[in-house]
Amino acid sequence: MTTGTGTGASGLTWAQLRDLKCAELEGAADGWGKASNRADAGRDRIEKQLLNGLRETQQGAAADAAVGRLRQLSRNLQYVYTECGLVRTTLNSLAHEMKAQQRLLREALEDAEALRFTVHPDGSVTYPEAGEGLIDGKPLAGGTASVRTAPGLLQPSGLVAPNPNTAKAQDIADRVAKAVRTAAEVDWRFARILRKLKAEEGLKVPDRTWTDAAGDAAAVRDAAGGYLKSAIPHDASPAARRLWWAGLTDEQREEYLAVYPDQIGNLDGIPALVRDTANRDNLQLLIGKLEGQGGERAETQLAGLREIDRQLQAGKQPPMYLLGIGDEGNGRAIVSYGNPDTARNVSAYVPGLNTSLDADFAKNDLKRARDTAIGAKEMDPSSSSASIVWLGYDAPQTSGGDPMGSFDVMGETNARAGASAYNSFMAGVSATNQHGDPHVTAIGHSYGSLTVGLAAQERGGIPGADDVVLVGSPGTGAHSADELGVGKQHVFVGAAENDPVTKLPNSREASGLGTGVAGGASTGFVLGLGAGPLGAIVGGAAGGIAGGAAGYAAQDAQSEESDVWFGTDPAHRDFGANRFAVSDGPQLLERGHSPTEAHSNYFDPAKDQRSADNIARIVAGKSGEIERERPR
């Protein structure tokens, strides 16, 4: 076999591809990896040692200035970590794809050598005489198979080229050409990505730099899909994912964290510390991505992301762990106060109607989880606890210009999708928790109680759940607490007297009300016409009120007292749960209060100490000490 140095149309020859030392690319990748790791170690030391030490020992303007400079340095190191990690993975992925083409080329060359063919510098293949002529019986002449512009489309015909070596030579020429052509495309694609991975000059990393970094990460993800992403076990169980992660080398983990923080950070079954690390990096990439988009949705989510980032940087106790973050749908965020892998008591709260990734969620819903974590620790100082707020689904929206939002909240579609996702998350908590038998509490508020209720009714129930807490619930889709998988003695309900959501009419009553209003208004309008336009308006209004009342009463008479929109009222005696004491809350139209304030106070010790304490007792495994209230 003859080697060559000729150049194809792409500038790359098969000899160059054959002799390419991919180990040198991998060595360069290791160097960038070491730089990335050093930046990560520096950032970690700043966050866990220097900043905490300053906060605990120093006060005043000088200390505040030092904290600001350290935070800027930490942000810079985070950027270095991300970008160097992207370069490492780009080089490793380039080597991975080049080795694949080298293997294909080598196989073609080995076949040529075995057949005693000659591969020329330009990729053409000369083959010897073989076979016998049909007329004279002499060996058929050899020849040369040239590189075709479209390999594999036209197979040689035995009538035109009867030498049996012809087709074999053409196949080898095509395989050589395809390997070289593909390698050239790979080289061009990765060269373009590497040219983009160039930081701005200067010592600061402004927000626009993270926008560029988000684009860099997306480009590297696309290029490295076959190298890394295809191996992520998205379809595996959380327990299997935990084993997958445990089986990776340190270098493999570092690459996944650098290139796919969004995938690893949101993968149930991955340890909490790893998810937190990945999501803190992904948080910055998301901020950069959304800053480059503009628009109301992006600005809304940016406000939520920035507030979460602010709280993470503040370093308050209990420590925050970012277990999930994303911009899909109405946004995703999972935050834990306390490490759920090491905590003895773990709770996971699902928010409800109108919850989305925005500033309100980042301030108020996160506070609910934090208040619960603090309360549980007060109830049992000897046990560790982790309190989670789980926004892992699209809660229905009745604001923000969504004309279908009001219809979403009337149905179970969002809750059913959320129930499956919630159960996957809870299975992940069970897989990674280091206690043999942690005490786990599932908490649902408002429409989130329907999500939790449906999750509990899925086959196998909520993984690991010992207790279920429902507050401000319009129903769970169940008719009895026994249907929630933990036994009715472990289902707890809080329902404020002035919370209108816990007293929603059932679907039949609502239908009767709507039909009655429409019919009564129409009749009243017609009858009032005799008194002129004003009479028609007054008659329509009066008829609507009377008709609505009559329609509601007719359907109410045929309904059970305990029926609410989504099944049986969890606070009713027919449901069979344990109702705990809560404050009545402000009345619906009480001056100085929002119309539905009683629906929002359950977790807040400043507004409803009784409810907050009872929830904390249940989370701490001390449900026998709750203050009880008679069911409805």
Side-chain angles (χ1 to χ4, degrees):
M1 182 181 68
T2 302
T3 62
T5 57
T7 303
S10 65
L12 179 70
T13 68
W14 62 262
Q16 290 171 331
L17 175 59
R18 179 198 60 191
D19 298 335
L20 178 66
K21 293 179 174 59
C22 290
E24 294 182 357
L25 289 172
E26 293 170 331
D30 289 342
W32 285 99
K34 290 176 182 177
S36 178
N37 293 339
R38 282 194 291 269
D40 190 40
R43 178 186 60 169
D44 193 59
R45 184 165 182 265
I46 289 171
E47 294 292 335
K48 295 183 178 179
Q49 296 180 31
L50 300 181
L51 281 174
N52 287 338
L54 268 175
R55 292 189 188 104
E56 294 172 1
T57 61
Q58 304 294 322
Q59 292 182 345
D64 291 342
V67 167
R69 287 194 292 271
L70 284 172
R71 282 180 175 168
Q72 181 62 57
L73 180 57
S74 176
R75 185 177 174 86
N76 292 356
L77 288 172
Q78 184 175 16
Y79 176 74
V80 172
Y81 160 77
T82 297
E83 289 291 301
C84 289
L86 292 176
V87 173
R88 170 188 54 197
T89 298
T90 301
L91 292 172
N92 274 334
S93 189
L94 171 60
H96 173 78
E97 293 200 31
M98 282 300 196
K99 285 194 289 188
Q101 298 311 313
Q102 279 185 321
R103 184 172 60 253
L104 295 174
L105 172 65
R106 190 179 304 115
E107 291 170 354
L109 295 176
E110 289 172 352
D111 287 348
E113 186 173 15
L115 293 167
R116 299 182 182 277
F117 293 177
T118 299
V119 181
H120 297 284
D122 63 356
S124 61
V125 179
T126 296
Y127 54 92
E129 61 182 17
E132 296 180 354
L134 297 176
I135 298 177
D136 55 13
K138 294 181 179 180
L140 299 170
T144 298
S146 301
V147 177
R148 296 185 294 188
T149 56
L153 292 181
L154 297 174
Q155 294 296 329
S157 169
L159 294 176
V160 177
N163 186 328
N165 286 328
T166 302
K168 298 176 183 177
Q170 188 63 63
D171 175 65
I172 291 172
D174 290 346
R175 287 157 61 193
V176 169
K178 183 177 181 181
V180 172
R181 184 181 298 109
T182 303
E185 292 172 353
V186 169
D187 179 60
W188 177 85
R189 176 160 43 93
F190 280 94
R192 184 168 56 90
I193 293 172
L194 287 168
R195 281 194 294 270
K196 287 184 62 180
L197 293 175
K198 182 180 179 181
E200 295 184 18
E201 295 183 2
L203 298 176
K204 291 187 177 182
V205 181
D207 290 341
R208 68 175 183 276
T209 304
W210 279 109
T211 301
D212 293 337
D216 293 342
V220 174
R221 287 191 198 107
D222 290 342
Y227 171 59
L228 289 177
K229 185 178 180 181
S230 59
I232 300 176
H234 291 289
D235 295 331
S237 68
R241 293 169 183 163
R242 179 182 62 81
L243 293 175
W244 168 77
W245 183 260
L248 296 177
T249 65
D250 288 342
E251 291 77 12
Q252 288 172 321
R253 292 175 185 171
E254 289 162 3
E255 283 201 82
Y256 277 113
L257 286 171
V259 181
Y260 290 106
D262 57 332
Q263 304 279 330
I264 302 303
N266 291 287
L267 197 63
D268 298 324
I270 301 299
L273 283 172
V274 177
R275 292 182 71 161
D276 178 62
T277 297
N279 284 316
R280 286 177 187 245
D281 292 330
N282 190 39
L283 176 63
Q284 300 304 321
L285 293 173
L286 279 173
I287 289 174
K289 172 187 172 182
L290 293 175
E291 282 176 340
Q293 289 183 356
E296 182 179 354
R297 176 179 175 275
E299 288 300 321
T300 297
Q301 293 191 352
L302 269 173
L305 292 172
R306 290 191 180 111
E307 175 58 23
I308 291 173
D309 186 40
R310 185 195 67 78
Q311 293 183 39
L312 287 169
Q313 298 296 331
K316 293 183 178 180
Q317 295 296 321
M320 287 176 67
Y321 293 83
L322 190 57
L323 304 181
I325 199 74
D327 63 341
E328 61 266 36
N330 294 327
R332 301 287 186 267
I334 307 171
V335 177
S336 179
Y337 289 90
N339 187 341
D341 288 355
T342 60
R344 173 67 179 85
N345 299 310
V346 180
S347 65
Y349 143 63
V350 182
L353 177 65
N354 282 333
T355 308
S356 63
L357 179 56
D358 56 16
D360 182 74
F361 166 82
K363 293 175 183 177
N364 297 323
D365 287 280
L366 264 63
K367 181 181 181 299
R368 291 173 180 174
R370 185 171 184 270
D371 285 341
T372 299
I374 294 171
K377 188 65 176 177
E378 290 174 350
M379 297 300 169
D380 186 2
S382 64
S383 293
S384 54
S385 64
S387 179
I388 302 166
V389 53
W390 183 86
L391 181 60
Y393 80 124
D394 282 330
Q397 306 291 304
T398 58
S399 59
D402 178 8
M404 298 303 294
S406 58
F407 293 100
D408 288 341
V409 76
M410 294 167 63
E412 297 182 356
T413 301
N414 295 58
R416 289 197 178 279
S420 296
Y422 182 71
N423 277 345
S424 174
F425 173 76
M426 296 300 278
V429 170
S430 295
T432 58
N433 188 277
Q434 298 167 15
H435 288 270
D437 185 24
H439 175 251
V440 178
T441 305
I443 305 175
H445 172 241
S446 186
Y447 189 88
S449 69
L450 174 63
T451 303
V452 168
L454 293 175
Q457 292 172 76
E458 287 191 348
R459 185 174 182 179
I462 299 172
D466 298 288
D467 294 310
V468 171
V469 175
L470 310 167
V471 288
S473 177
T476 63
H479 295 288
S480 167
D482 282 326
E483 298 175 37
L484 301 188
V486 294
K488 64 181 182 180
Q489 69 274 21
H490 291 284
V491 178
F492 302 89
V493 178
E497 180 61 28
N498 294 321
D499 181 354
V501 174
T502 69
K503 299 178 180 180
L504 291 176
N506 59 55
S507 58
R508 293 187 302 277
E509 292 167 339
S511 176
L513 176 65
T515 302
V517 168
S522 176
T523 301
F525 183 85
V526 172
L527 294 175
L529 275 176
L534 181 60
I537 294 173
V538 173
I545 294 172
Y552 177 88
Q555 293 298 326
D556 181 58
Q558 302 178 43
S559 302
E560 294 292 335
E561 179 190 23
S562 58
D563 286 353
V564 289
W565 190 267
F566 296 114
T568 300
D569 177 7
H572 197 276
R573 62 180 179 274
D574 289 351
F575 193 73
N578 302 282
R579 187 180 182 189
F580 57 84
V582 303
S583 72
D584 289 346
Q587 294 183 359
L588 191 60
L589 299 178
E590 186 172 331
R591 179 175 295 181
H593 298 275
S594 66
T596 58
E597 187 174 325
H599 183 60
S600 304
N601 292 344
Y602 294 101
F603 300 90
D604 192 339
K607 295 182 178 180
D608 191 344
Q609 185 75 60
R610 298 170 75 191
S611 177
D613 284 351
N614 282 324
I615 293 173
R617 291 186 183 102
I618 298 166
V619 169
K622 296 182 176 294
S623 59
E625 300 177 8
I626 64 171
E627 181 184 355
R628 295 179 180 271
E629 185 170 343
R630 290 180 57 132
R632 289 173 176 164

